[in-house]
Amino acid sequence: MSIELIASTTFGLESVVKRECQALGFQNIHVSDGKVEFTGNEKDIVTANLWLRCAGRVWVRMGSFTAVTFTELFDGTKALPWGDWIPQDGKFTVVGKSVKSTLFSVPDCQAIVKKAVVEKLKEKYKTDWFDETGASYTIQVGILKDVVTLAIDTSGSGLHMRGYRANALDAPLKESIASAMVQLSYWRKDRILLDPFCGSGTIPIEAAMLARNIAPGLQRKFASEEWERIGKELWKKGRAEAYQAIDYDVTPEIYGSDIDPAAIALAKENAEKAGVDDCITFEVKPSQEITLPGKYGVIITNPPYGERIGELKDVEEMYRTLGATMKEDTTWSTYLITSMEYFETLFGRKADKKRKLFNGRIKTDYYQFEGPKPPRS
């Protein structure tokens, strides 16, 4: 029997996650705001968690129904097959959100759902007492315009948490956004990549992991690894296949620089943890001093946005200098994320494409300046 699955996404990344789902062979893919739904089996839950680079979490969709009263919420929840997933010793919590709905009190909705699930499990296991000594399950109740969707989180912590970034600097770029920026660009593993504002190295590392076909979830744990329904063998097999898929013969030419020596030290440490330190050359260098190494390269970067007091003029000058540098070699392409709305004026060129993205809670634009494709060798 196929399982309904949901990959949640940051707003603006739905199309990227859809492409990833297609590449992984998932079926019945359907896209809506903030999520990509598809069908699969237990093995696909393992595959999705190990391999989706740009999704937030992977959820098992238990069901949807309309509810405008707590009685309807209780009855609708109790009607779902919770015992198919949660064993007798399972412990579960309920999280929630409600948007434009009659049932607007999230704590009350969470309490009603929890009570309904307990009642359903009591019937299933014919007991009034649960030890809750087994695996953990997080149930989400999401209500949008009075339509309730109930789902169980298979991931645990967000999928952007790869495990290679133990420490991060202020306002780090999420790994999922960094990977999306790379995937939305013209960069391929046989082209040069440069990030002149690399911070702790997230964009260069994500690019190197893509080039080497390293599954982003290889170094971390997932909530569903302890679930009876999936079993440890599927996880073991999924990880073994992911290790076999790594292409160590690929060594892309990737450069990362930053004015902050502490950031570069951290970037080197992170790249080593990710297994791609031999793919990236990091150096301490202000962005004004960068030179473009070679032809037909690609800059992908997340520069400062000038949102701190006293920083704006410096950032404007940085953007002007970067624009001037890119004019020196028109074979290069530039991909850049910023919240500064007049960026194109400073850069000195109108973007070929622009896409709205959220970097954390900051609304940004992803500017894409596309140079020519390299000649075929």
Side-chain angles (χ1 to χ4, degrees):
M1 191 177 76
S2 68
I3 302 163
E4 291 184 38
L5 297 166
I6 302 168
S8 57
T9 78
T10 299
F11 180 76
L13 295 188
E14 295 90 347
S15 63
V16 185
V17 175
K18 179 189 175 182
R19 280 207 298 274
E20 290 188 319
C21 288
Q22 288 170 331
L24 292 168
F26 300 148
Q27 301 296 309
N28 305 314
I29 299 167
H30 175 72
V31 180
S32 54
D33 284 352
K35 62 185 177 182
V36 178
E37 298 175 78
F38 55 99
T39 57
N41 54 28
E42 287 82 359
K43 185 177 187 293
D44 292 325
I45 292 174
V46 173
T47 302
N49 277 295
L50 286 173
W51 283 99
L52 285 177
R53 297 176 191 276
C54 303
R57 283 181 172 81
V58 178
W59 303 82
V60 172
R61 186 176 177 278
M62 295 298 293
S64 293
F65 53 88
T66 301
V68 294
T69 66
F70 287 134
T71 302
E72 288 174 340
L73 177 61
F74 181 90
D75 292 344
T77 301
K78 195 181 171 201
L80 298 173
W82 298 102
D84 288 358
W85 290 94
I86 304 174
Q88 190 169 342
D89 65 350
K91 56 177 177 282
F92 70 92
T93 53
V94 181
V95 297
K97 56 186 179 181
S98 177
V99 180
K100 297 177 182 171
S101 298
T102 308
L103 299 175
F104 61 86
S105 171
V106 172
D108 286 337
C109 292
Q110 288 171 210
I112 296 290
V113 167
K114 174 105 183 177
K115 187 178 176 186
V117 175
V118 168
E119 290 305 313
K120 182 70 172 190
L121 294 177
K122 278 182 182 178
E123 288 179 6
K124 162 94 176 175
Y125 298 114
K126 302 190 169 36
T127 181
D128 286 330
W129 178 257
F130 298 98
D131 285 335
E132 295 195 52
T133 54
S136 296
Y137 298 79
T138 300
I139 297 168
Q140 183 186 71
V141 49
I143 313 178
L144 174 63
K145 296 178 183 173
D146 297 329
V147 176
V148 178
T149 299
L150 289 156
I152 308 177
D153 176 16
T154 73
S155 303
S157 53
L159 293 183
H160 71 279
M161 299 181 78
R162 318 285 206 222
Y164 67 73
R165 193 163 76 177
N167 302 297
L169 302 164
D170 291 343
L173 184 72
K174 268 190 181 178
E175 294 87 333
S176 49
I177 303 270
S179 185
M181 288 170 67
V182 175
Q183 292 185 56
L184 287 165
S185 77
Y186 268 179
W187 183 76
R188 298 295 176 265
K189 59 190 175 186
D190 57 349
R191 294 180 75 170
I192 300 166
L193 187 146
L194 166 65
D195 181 356
F197 303 94
C198 74
S200 54
T202 310
I203 292 172
I205 291 168
E206 289 295 322
M209 288 175 73
L210 271 163
R212 282 221 164 132
N213 200 36
I214 298 173
L218 260 183
Q219 294 193 39
R220 54 159 287 173
K221 294 285 183 189
F222 299 93
S224 50
E225 285 190 56
E226 303 299 319
W227 293 4
E228 286 177 17
R229 171 82 182 250
I230 298 174
K232 292 192 187 298
E233 277 309 303
L234 273 184
W235 280 100
K236 198 174 170 184
K237 191 179 176 195
R239 277 207 165 83
E241 287 171 355
Y243 274 112
Q244 286 165 2
I246 299 171
D247 188 352
Y248 287 109
D249 293 334
V250 171
T251 307
E253 190 176 350
I254 300 174
Y255 301 90
S257 56
D258 199 280
I259 196 169
D260 182 3
I264 293 300
L266 199 52
K268 288 177 178 176
E269 195 182 313
N270 291 341
E272 193 175 341
K273 278 183 191 153
V276 293
D277 50 313
D278 59 328
C279 299
I280 310 166
T281 303
F282 287 112
E283 65 176 330
V284 178
K285 183 184 275 190
S287 62
Q288 296 90 326
E289 293 176 18
I290 63 157
T291 52
L292 302 177
K295 297 279 183 188
Y296 298 99
V298 179
I299 280 184
I300 307 176
T301 193
N302 172 42
Y305 301 166
E307 299 202 332
R308 292 179 185 161
I309 295 167
E311 200 182 59
L312 186 59
K313 282 203 165 16
D314 289 342
V315 168
E316 287 177 343
E317 192 51 43
M318 269 182 211
Y319 290 173
R320 283 191 197 97
T321 304
L322 182 63
T325 302
M326 300 318 292
K327 273 183 190 150
E328 289 169 16
D329 190 337
T330 55
T331 68
W332 276 66
S333 303
T334 307
Y335 298 85
L336 180 146
I337 187 174
T338 178
S339 63
M340 192 178 282
E341 293 182 358
Y342 53 97
F343 166 75
E344 288 162 305
T345 307
L346 299 167
F347 191 73
R349 183 180 155 193
K350 193 163 172 54
D352 297 300
K353 287 182 193 165
K354 205 164 82 165
R355 173 188 284 255
K356 286 205 178 331
L357 285 180
F358 277 87
N359 181 11
R361 298 193 173 188
I362 303 170
K363 186 179 154 200
T364 64
D365 283 298
Y366 184 42
Y367 293 91
Q368 301 166 61
F369 302 90
E370 293 166 355
K373 290 183 179 176
R376 289 185 179 178
S377 53

